[in-house]
Amino acid sequence: MEEQQTSSEVITLLSSRELEKMRKACQMAAQLLDYLTPYVKPGISTLELNDLAEDWTKKRGAVSAPLGYEGTVMPFPKSICTSVNEVICHGIPRAEEILRDGDIINIDVTPIVDGYHGDTSRTFLVGNVASRTRKLVEVTEECMWRGIREVKPGARIGDIGAAIQEYAEAEGFSVVRDFVGHGVHRIFHTAPQVPHYGVRGKGKKLRPGMVFTIEPMINLGSHEAEILTDGWTALTVDRQLSAQFEHTVAVTKTGVEVLTLSPAKVLA
């Protein structure tokens, strides 16, 4: 899940003990996406993916953070977010939503392990997709990695957003402004906010012990979003495609540690 723009808060620096707990939660998140990967194919419903994820999570003694998470209209009703095609983020799994050949779907998972949140997402290609669609997904993943490569002590939050925005726009795509990356640890969404656009040298200075997500949402058309009456589902205003990738990262003394890397190296 992504944080909407809100006021700033105090940034927590995690101890080595807390970071080890985050590693465990984040590795479970990565393993969950690896588990779901072979099921993402034409004919499966987003509700079936949700139920597979919830069963897997419960069997490992973890809790799904999105389930019951408070929103402006209602608590989030499912265990994962499944955002298909023009849905930017926070798509709600449904029995009637069946994946079709040529679709793309972002699956966003956040298991809670021993009180700590592991937050990650990937966009999957469903069957045979159009070349422009594949390009959007590839650029979005590269945007995430360009943002991650900016992370080091002394760098600024704006450096991350600038790297993402520069690359996305150079490739002819747009960067969503309404949803941002966020600090994460025992709290699901906290400071710092991490916009995926910005100006180098601006924003909070990065310090060892900071943990946050980098999760760019990149659109084929306009960057603008529209939220449905459920208070969750965010779509592109022009109904063109949107893709997203997300990792949780920690600022180290020498650079960055990606906490949600896939142990199986299935995808990013």
Side-chain angles (χ1 to χ4, degrees), residues 15-79:
S15 66
S16 57
R17 175 181 170 276
E18 291 171 317
L19 280 171
E20 186 55 37
K21 288 181 177 290
M22 278 299 296
R23 288 187 185 98
K24 291 178 181 178
C26 287
Q27 276 303 288
M28 183 173 285
Q31 290 164 11
L32 175 52
L33 286 183
D34 287 348
Y35 167 72
L36 292 174
T37 295
Y39 293 100
V40 181
K41 55 188 177 183
I44 196 168
S45 72
T46 53
L47 182 61
E48 287 176 289
L49 291 171
N50 174 85
D51 293 347
L52 285 165
E54 177 64 7
D55 182 64
W56 187 95
T57 302
K58 282 183 175 178
K59 285 180 177 177
R60 283 153 183 80
V63 176
S64 300
L67 184 61
Y69 192 77
E70 287 298 325
T72 57
V73 176
M74 65 177 184
F76 195 79
K78 299 299 178 184
S79 300

Side-chain angles (χ1 to χ4, degrees), residues 39-44 49 84-85 98-106 123-130 133-134 137:
Y39 293 100
V40 181
K41 55 188 177 183
I44 196 168
L49 291 171
V84 180
N85 294 334
I98 308 298
L99 296 186
R100 299 171 300 174
D101 190 66
D103 285 344
I104 57 173
I105 177 174
N106 177 270
T123 293
F124 297 85
L125 306 176
V126 182
N128 299 303
V129 303
T133 303
R134 185 180 295 272
V137 173

